[in-house]
């Protein structure tokens, strides 16, 4: 029956060390958090790196004032509403920051699914990850960025693929990703051959933006057509999606801020998305409710940055997009475990109400003057009591904005 309704089949029963309502067999994504660790240390020097482009590479570790246990408690399912997908990325190499491993271990114990973006070269960290994750490793997703010319220069190609194999064998799901740039063009056939040999499929490819151009452009010295032609050689759904949505201003109602957010793991500041600068610290008081509220139609970004995360997970439910899994997994190579495949084939709207989200959004914008006008007799009590009138008003506002 579930499959008949378009719901992906369940994966194997969870073996999580914690138990309770949120740790069900058919977990659905309640919220998505894009988490930054501001470590700028990296053992590679990729010319297309956004941090290098912006001259922000200081080769410094981040001071992490909050313990892994504190961070996990701040993001416990009872506080954030359910099982979340939490993606962790550093300004440099994510796993260079030693605290990342125990943070991931604690988040997995809470029942969440976690992604780490990594260059795949720090072998010792992967051994530590396997130990820290334990039997929860089925909820771990690793995005291995293939910085091919740097791997060649350092002589780390075999190390890179050995670490991918190690994590797959341990039970984690993996993604092999390539940020397309001009210096990879002479190596395309070599990259394809090696990827087929080591992981059973071509890498998924992401469009690389040029941070020096305003507005952003594609990071290439050639033409757009030449760049797209090279990307299409990988038959990558991820490349097709990122290309289609690059520099496209989104005007639809967006639930980022309610169903998702960007979180700094050093400071604890949660913002609605990359274009929001007025955040709230959710680590200071881990028992305080989190003020989730949608961006709506007030996004300040010229386009959806990291759309392959936010939009594929469904922050704009009025848009039909491929799922996160469809953009990244190579089913023929079984990069995802069945449990990860089922979880990342879902959408945020599967466990969140579009109407309730819009109700919360509009009610937060009603002024006292408007409330008194709509409910003149004991206006506050009427506002809380006469929910039907509020519903009809919000429906009218919603239709007006479409």
């Amino acid at each position: 029956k579930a499959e008949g309704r378009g719901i992906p089949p369940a994966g194997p029963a969870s073996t999580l060390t914690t138990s309770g309502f949120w740790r069900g067999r058919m977990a659905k994504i309640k919220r998505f958090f894009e988490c930054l660790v501001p470590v700028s240390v990296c053992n590679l020097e990729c010319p297309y790196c956004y941090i290098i482009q912006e001259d922000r590479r200081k080769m410094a570790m981040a001071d992490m004032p909050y313990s892994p246990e504190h961070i996990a408690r701040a993001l416990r399912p009872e506080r954030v509403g359910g099982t979340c997908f939490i993606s962790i990325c550093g300004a440099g190499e994510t796993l260079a920051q030693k605290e990342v491993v125990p943070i991931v271990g604690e988040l997995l114990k809470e029942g969440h699914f976690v992604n780490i973006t990594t260059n795949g070269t720090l072998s010792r960290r992967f051994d530590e990850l396997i130990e820290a994750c334990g039997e929860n490793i089925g909820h771990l997703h690793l995005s291995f960025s293939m910085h091919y010319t740097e791997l060649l220069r350092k002589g780390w190609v075999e190390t890179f693929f050995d670490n991918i194999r190690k994590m797959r064998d341990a039970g984690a799901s993996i993604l092999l990703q390539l940020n397309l740039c001009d210096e990879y063009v002479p190596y395309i056939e070599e990259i394809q051959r090696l990827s087929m040999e080591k992981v059973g499929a071509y890498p998924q490819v992401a469009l690389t933006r040029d941070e020096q151009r305003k507005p952003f452009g594609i990071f290439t010295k050639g033409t757009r057509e030449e760049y797209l032609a090279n990307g299409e050689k990988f038959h990558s759904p991820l490349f097709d999606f990122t290309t289609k949505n690059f520099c496209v201003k989104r005007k639809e109602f967006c639930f980022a801020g309610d169903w998702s957010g960007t979180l700094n793991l050093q400071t604890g500041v949660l913002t609605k998305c990359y274009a929001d600068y007025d955040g709230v610290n959710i680590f200071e008081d881990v028992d305080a409710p989190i003020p989730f509220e949608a961006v709506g139609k007030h996004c300040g970004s010229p386009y959806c940055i990291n759309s392959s995360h936010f939009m594929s997970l469904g922050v704009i439910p009025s848009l039909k997009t491929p799922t996160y899994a469809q953009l990244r997994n190579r089913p023929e190579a079984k990069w995802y475990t069945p449990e990860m495949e089922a979880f990342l084939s879902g959408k945020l709207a599967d466990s969140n109400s579009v109407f309730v989200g819009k109700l919360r959004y509009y009610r937060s914008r009603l002024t006292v003057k408007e409330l008194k006008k709509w409910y003149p007799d004991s206006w506050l009590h009427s506002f809380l009591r006469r929910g039907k009138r509020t519903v009809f008003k919000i429906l009218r506002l919603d239709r007006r904005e479409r």
Side-chain angles (χ1 to χ4, degrees), residues 280-337:
V280 58
N281 191 318
I282 65 170
F283 288 178
E284 284 184 343
D285 184 354
V286 297
D287 294 319
I290 299 173
F292 294 113
E293 183 186 299
V295 168
K297 294 195 172 186
H298 301 283
C299 179
S301 179
Y303 74 104
C304 185
I305 297 174
N306 219 350
S307 63
S308 67
H309 282 247
F310 291 94
M311 287 174 58
S312 70
L313 289 170
V315 295
I316 305 178
S318 61
L319 284 180
K320 292 184 178 180
T321 63
T323 66
Y324 192 97
Q326 287 172 332
L327 291 184
R328 290 168 171 81
N329 188 26
R330 293 288 196 184
E332 68 277 15
K334 298 182 179 179
W335 286 357
Y336 282 11
T337 64

Side-chain angles (χ1 to χ4, degrees), residues 73-106:
R73 177 162 173 75
L75 295 172
R76 65 192 183 279
E78 294 79 6
R79 190 185 189 209
V80 296
T83 303
C84 298
F85 184 43
I86 300 173
S87 182
I88 301 176
C89 187
E93 165 49 29
T94 311
L95 290 176
Q97 188 76 40
K98 64 180 181 180
E99 289 88 351
V100 168
V101 170
I103 288 171
V104 170
E106 293 298 322

